[in-house]
Amino acid sequence: MMMNDNSLRILSQSEHGYIGQCSCCDHYNFVFGNFLFIFTKSGLHGFHNVLYDKSQVQILEIPLPNGKEVILPSPIPNFMLSFSKSEIDEVKGLFQESLLALEIDRIFSENQ
């Protein structure tokens, strides 16, 4: 899927990723490291909920060989995402900032 720079509104950005809103299809791109997920608005909220669901997030006592110690299920069966503790905090920050920006948009659109 190719996109030009003008069709993506960056909602939040960090050292390793960003969340952007596509103006042509109203989907949300979550890019972190070397992966890209494309979410609907409800999918974006759903993934945010998974980040804070202690039954979904697994903290390993012994890190994986790559040093990652946080395991998170992905939307794809049998495909897990692995993060360091600082990376999962960065991802949470991206989602919090993005959802805050969307809430501000909603409030402003109601008041117009």
Side-chain angles (χ1 to χ4, degrees):
M1 178 167 130
M2 297 293 294
M3 289 191 278
N4 66 40
D5 292 335
N6 296 331
S7 67
L8 192 65
R9 173 184 170 215
I10 301 298
L11 298 171
S12 62
Q13 190 168 4
S14 68
E15 181 181 350
H16 299 105
Y18 66 86
I19 296 176
Q21 181 180 18
C22 183
S23 62
C24 62
C25 64
D26 205 32
H27 281 93
Y28 300 86
N29 293 352
F30 166 46
V31 175
F32 194 83
N34 63 349
F35 62 80
L36 160 67
F37 285 109
I38 299 173
F39 293 115
T40 61
K41 191 171 190 175
S42 65
L44 189 74
H45 284 277
F47 195 82
H48 175 261
N49 291 340
V50 168
L51 288 171
Y52 289 91
D53 184 345
K54 293 186 187 295
S55 69
Q56 297 286 323
V57 178
Q58 182 179 0
I59 309 281
L60 303 175
E61 289 182 30
I62 300 172
L64 297 171
N66 64 359
K68 309 295 179 165
E69 55 210 342
V70 180
I71 303 295
L72 184 70
S74 79
I76 302 166
N78 300 317
F79 183 77
M80 306 293 280
L81 304 172
S82 63
F83 300 96
S84 68
K85 287 183 180 176
S86 64
E87 288 172 336
I88 198 73
D89 288 342
E90 188 176 338
V91 169
K92 287 178 177 180
L94 287 170
F95 274 81
Q96 288 172 339
E97 288 175 17
S98 295
L99 295 178
L100 180 61
L102 293 173
E103 181 64 14
I104 290 168
D105 287 350
R106 185 191 66 76
I107 291 169
F108 278 121
S109 69
E110 286 179 356
N111 293 326
Q112 291 183 354

